[in-house]
Amino acid sequence: MAEKLKRPLLLVGCGKMGGAMLEGWLASGIAAAGAYVVEPFGADAFANRRDVTVVSSVEELPADLSPQVIILAVKPQAMSAVVGAYAKFATPDCLFVSVAAGTTISFFEAELGPQAAIVRAMPNTPAAVGQGITVICPNAKATAQQVADADILLQAVGETARIEDEALMDAVTGVSGSGPAYVFFMIECMAKAGVDAGLPEDLAARLALQTVAGAGHLARQSDDTPDQLRRNVTSPNGTTQAALDVLMADDGLQPLMTKAVAAAANRGRELAG
């Protein structure tokens, strides 16, 4: 079992990402000291749990609450209207973890005070099934133990990685934060291509979904690199090679993916102002 927090955690925002993370924390036992959720639009899935207290605003939290970790999981566009109310918790022994895309550490330091210990994190939606990956970047005030606490929390919903240069977080967003949507769209495109080739719609959808899911699982389990796995399934002058000649052309998938990731990264920088 993962190491348990000694004091409660406080989750601000309980949408799909926040809810997925909270499910992981409760299941793993990390939140053994209890969890508080501030969610004005309801968190029905947790409302009847004895180990979770759901309130609609920060004013409804107990006056003596001393959270060990505060997770900020509201949308980036709403963060400036929300975060200032939590400055009262910004003591050296309270860690703030933000999962808001494009919202910088310097923004939180300005809102919470220069003494605030902050870890900026970029998770992705496979966290909902415990298969996410989250990249974290701490500020100078976060202690080694607090960074370890953030790592333990985020490992409850998948893998973690750490960067020291916050400027890389926009590229992380472009690859892994937004990346699941690219894969889902690829499934859509493969299914549509199958229909265009004459397959029934339900069969094309099933083939596309299981092929992507199975290929991803194989890539995780195999000792071979994706490049080698691609070569393993590609016979010279065969059907796969014919398709790859299109996908690997100068105007094929790679330049399109590079452009897509760059667009996401640029949008992250725009959100940061």
Side-chain angles (χ1 to χ4, degrees), residues 43 52 86 226:
V52 179
Y86 296 87

Side-chain angles (χ1 to χ4, degrees), residues 17-44:
M17 182 59 70
M21 291 190 296
L22 183 55
E23 288 279 10
W25 299 330
L26 295 172
S28 68
I30 292 171
Y36 289 81
V37 177
V38 179
E39 177 50 80
F41 302 109
D44 296 341

Side-chain angles (χ1 to χ4, degrees), residues 146-242:
Q146 287 174 323
V147 175
D149 288 344
D151 200 51
I152 290 168
L153 280 168
L154 295 166
Q155 283 180 21
V157 292
E159 296 184 13
T160 60
R162 179 176 171 178
I163 58 174
E164 301 296 336
D165 182 2
E166 188 187 6
L168 295 175
M169 195 61 85
D170 294 312
V172 168
T173 301
V175 174
S176 62
S178 300
Y182 316 156
V183 178
F184 301 147
F185 185 56
M186 184 174 72
I187 294 170
E188 293 180 64
C189 289
M190 288 176 65
K192 175 63 165 56
V195 171
D196 291 345
L199 292 174
E201 186 172 344
D202 59 344
L203 177 59
R206 182 181 175 190
L207 291 175
L209 175 59
Q210 185 55 35
T211 297
V212 171
H217 186 68
L218 175 60
R220 283 184 60 89
Q221 298 297 317
S222 177
D223 292 331
D224 289 336
T225 64
D227 172 77
Q228 185 59 51
L229 289 171
R230 170 177 56 79
R231 295 176 187 277
N232 292 347
V233 77
T234 306
S235 301
N237 299 316
T239 58
T240 305
Q241 185 62 61

